């Protein structure tokens, strides 16, 4: 080795990734239902090496003992690309692409800084580029899973839907998004036939792809469950009978009760007059806030139903993904630990990433967030993420220094 390269190698050893990171914690929620006290988390590279034991001598240490530490949270349903444009209106096709890209980058940063280290975006073609950009590790943003463009009842007959599922896989989709009902602004009635759903979810399953299905009416949720689809999204009008069926089939339920409708209503002038964002649509959404809350309460009574954590965040909502937790616990009556498990390990399992993310344990990705306060005792603490690490890299640190 020449002297020059020897010096470079020494520099890499001194300043490179070899130095482990230590997080000092007082209260650590592991994502699977346990709380640990006064321990350390040792991180090597992108992964958690161990919990507890002596701190390595050469570690970079972050003292998070004034905070509550949890796995990075997961949002299984967020539309990262939806945003308000430079005129502060819901952005459409007439927006210059460079402006759109920067607004989307804002959404990514907001989401990550809120403590959401993984999100699923169903779906837009552009998600693919942001998935790649955040994976490169420079642009701050959560890990992204995307369906690319969704399939609807107008996509074609059963054969055509099968073809489109194969096409999405070739395009690089992580999952398939299907619309099986109208929007809540239009009453939510079923739009796809059983045959169409069987084809789309069946084909996806045979290719190893998950399917998440927009379904508001009980009829549409039932048809998607019988078709073997992975998850039902929204489900505002699901009945006890269909919840039982979903639990029996192991179909995930993603209720989105705490952010999406509230955000539309709070930002009404920015949406109003575009598509079905009209008086009738807003009237449906205002009624919807109570309807989805009641449906969620009903769902909680089905103890074996797997309720994942999605917000359906759209323009204006990014970075407020924690509001879903607040509404589920405070208004819906969900046990806070169960809500936190939903936002971490259960959602990870639903994404088939349960062995990589959603828990603080050796071998897992070091996706770790610290809150100012304990969300299990004070739900509003969920909105105060002060430290965010993704894959062993610190993206936000309002918690104080390191040494
Ligand atoms: Zn959505």
């Amino acid at each position: 080795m020449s002297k020059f390269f020897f010096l470079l190698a020494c520099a890499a050893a001194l300043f490179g990734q070899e130095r482990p990171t230590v997080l000092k914690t007082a209260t650590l929620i592991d994502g699977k239902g346990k709380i640990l006290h006064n321990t350390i988390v040792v991180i090597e590279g992108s992964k958690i090496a161990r919990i507890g034991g002596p701190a390595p001598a050469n570690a970079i240490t972050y003292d998070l003992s004034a905070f509550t530490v949890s796995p990075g949270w997961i949002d299984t349903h967020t539309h990262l690309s939806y945003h308000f444009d430079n005129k502060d209106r819901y952005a459409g096709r007439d927006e210059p692409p460079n402006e759109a890209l920067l607004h989307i980058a804002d959404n990514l940063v907001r989401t990550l800084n809120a403590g959401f280290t993984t999100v699923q975006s169903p779906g837009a073609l552009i998600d693919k580029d942001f998935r790649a950009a955040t994976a490169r590790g420079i642009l701050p943003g959560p890990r992204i899973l995307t369906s690319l463009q969704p399939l609807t009842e107008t996509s074609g007959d059963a054969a055509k839907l099968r073809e489109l599922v194969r096409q999405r896989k070739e395009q690089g989709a992580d999952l398939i998004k299907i619309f099986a009902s109208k929007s809540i602004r239009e009453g939510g009635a079923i739009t796809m036939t059983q045959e169409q759903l069987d084809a789309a979810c069946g084909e996806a399953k045979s290719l190893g792809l998950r399917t998440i299905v927009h379904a508001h009416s009980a009829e549409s949720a039932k048809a998607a469950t019988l078709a073997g689809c992975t998850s039902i999204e929204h489900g505002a009008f699901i009945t006890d009978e269909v919840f039982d069926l979903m639990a029996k089939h192991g179909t995930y339920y993603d209720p989105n009760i705490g952010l999406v409708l509230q955000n539309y209503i709070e930002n009404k002038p920015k949406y109003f007059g575009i598509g079905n964002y009209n008086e009738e649509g807003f009237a449906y959404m205002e009624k919807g806030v109570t309807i989805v809350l009641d449906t969620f309460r009903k769902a909680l009574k089905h103890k074996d139903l797997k309720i994942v954590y999605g917000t359906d965040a759209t323009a204006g909502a990014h970075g407020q993904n924690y509001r879903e937790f607040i509404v589920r616990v405070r208004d819906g009556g969900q046990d806070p630990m169960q809500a936190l498990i939903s936002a971490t390990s259960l959602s990870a399992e639903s994404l088939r990433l349960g062995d990589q993310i959603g828990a603080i344990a050796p071998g897992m990705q070091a996706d770790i967030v610290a809150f100012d306060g304990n969300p299990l005792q004070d739900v509003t603490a969920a909105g105060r993420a002060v430290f965010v690490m993704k894959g062993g890299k610190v993206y936000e640190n309002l918690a104080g220094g390191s040494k």
Side-chain angles (χ1 to χ4, degrees):
M1 194 190 290
S2 76
K3 199 181 259 180
F4 176 70
F5 283 107
F6 176 74
L7 285 173
L8 269 188
C10 290
L14 279 173
F15 302 109
Q17 292 135 340
E18 287 85 354
R19 257 184 104 180
T21 302
V22 164
L23 306 180
K24 280 177 75 177
T25 73
T27 304
L28 185 156
I29 305 166
D30 77 343
K32 296 212 156 187
K34 277 200 209 109
I35 302 175
L36 309 179
H37 293 287
N38 304 316
T39 190
I40 61 164
V41 182
V42 181
I43 293 133
E44 289 171 4
S46 68
K47 290 186 176 174
I48 297 168
R50 61 182 163 87
I51 297 170
N58 61 339
I60 297 167
T61 302
Y62 293 87
D63 186 355
L64 303 176
S65 53
F67 307 104
T68 303
V69 173
S70 125
W73 286 25
I74 297 167
D75 190 333
T76 59
H77 193 135
T78 173
H79 297 279
L80 278 178
S81 63
Y82 296 5
H83 61 276
F84 299 131
D85 63 16
N86 285 356
K87 293 180 218 103
D88 222 11
R89 288 274 288 168
Y90 184 42
R93 288 174 191 278
D94 56 343
E95 185 188 36
N98 52 336
E99 292 179 19
L101 291 173
L102 291 168
H103 283 294
I104 299 171
D106 287 353
N107 287 345
L108 265 58
V109 175
R110 283 192 187 107
T111 303
L112 183 64
N113 284 354
F116 287 77
T117 47
T118 300
V119 304
Q120 175 161 264
S121 185
L125 199 53
I126 200 165
D127 293 340
K128 192 178 170 178
D129 297 303
F130 283 97
R131 180 179 66 187
T134 51
R136 289 196 293 269
I138 307 296
L139 179 70
R143 301 168 192 285
I144 297 170
L145 302 169
T146 177
S147 67
L148 308 177
Q149 290 138 311
L151 309 183
T152 73
E153 78 281 4
T154 60
S155 299
D157 62 9
K160 180 71 186 171
L161 284 164
R162 286 182 188 278
E163 186 193 318
L164 287 171
V165 167
R166 291 194 294 271
Q167 195 186 86
R168 287 292 173 280
K169 178 158 174 124
E170 275 166 33
Q171 290 170 325
D174 299 295
L175 70 148
I176 302 293
K177 167 76 184 291
I178 298 164
F179 279 87
S181 87
K182 293 190 173 177
S183 96
I184 198 166
R185 288 178 292 284
E186 295 162 335
I190 190 167
T191 52
M192 266 204 187
T193 63
Q194 187 69 56
E195 197 192 1
Q196 283 177 307
L197 279 166
D198 288 349
C201 292
E203 187 70 20
K205 201 171 194 173
S206 74
L207 298 173
L209 287 176
R210 293 174 296 112
T211 39
I212 73 168
V213 183
H214 166 113
H216 276 298
S217 65
E219 192 190 0
S220 57
K222 183 176 180 178
T225 303
L226 292 174
C229 311
T230 314
S231 175
I232 307 295
E233 310 296 300
H234 323 308
F237 306 108
I238 299 182
T239 55
D240 281 316
E241 179 217 332
V242 175
F243 279 136
D244 277 340
L245 190 73
M246 288 168 64
K248 199 174 121 213
H249 284 249
T251 313
Y252 293 99
Y253 176 46
D254 191 6
N256 328 134
I257 64 165
L259 179 60
V260 58
L261 295 175
Q262 292 84 344
N263 175 72
Y264 279 130
I265 293 161
E266 288 156 12
N267 291 290
K268 186 174 174 180
K270 299 178 187 179
Y271 284 99
F272 196 80
I274 300 165
N276 60 14
Y277 298 102
N278 48 34
E279 283 301 356
E280 201 189 354
F282 273 94
Y284 261 116
M285 292 199 284
E286 266 158 45
K287 274 186 261 167
V289 173
T290 320
I291 293 169
V292 297
L293 180 62
D294 288 345
T295 304
F296 177 72
R297 288 190 183 125
K298 189 161 56 180
L300 282 182
K301 296 201 180 101
H302 298 258
K303 296 290 176 212
D304 43 357
L305 180 67
K306 295 189 280 188
I307 304 176
V308 296
Y309 189 97
T311 64
D312 202 10
T314 170
H318 300 288
Q320 301 179 62
N321 316 59
Y322 59 86
R323 287 174 62 182
E324 181 76 22
F325 176 86
I326 295 178
V327 172
R328 285 188 186 190
V329 174
R330 185 192 61 198
D331 305 337
Q334 188 173 25
D335 171 67
M337 182 62 100
Q338 289 306 315
L340 196 140
I341 290 170
S342 171
T344 53
S345 61
L346 183 64
S347 285
E349 177 207 294
S350 83
L351 305 177
R352 297 188 190 150
L353 294 174
D355 57 346
Q356 295 171 55
I357 58 170
I360 299 181
M364 303 293 278
Q365 284 292 317
D367 290 5
I368 295 173
V369 53
F371 297 101
D372 180 11
N374 186 339
L376 301 181
Q377 290 157 6
D378 166 16
V379 283
T380 67
R384 296 193 298 272
V386 290
F387 176 91
V388 180
M389 172 183 270
K390 186 190 74 171
K393 184 171 168 178
V394 177
Y395 283 89
E396 180 177 58
N397 182 19
L398 311 174
S402 63
K403 62 174 191 255

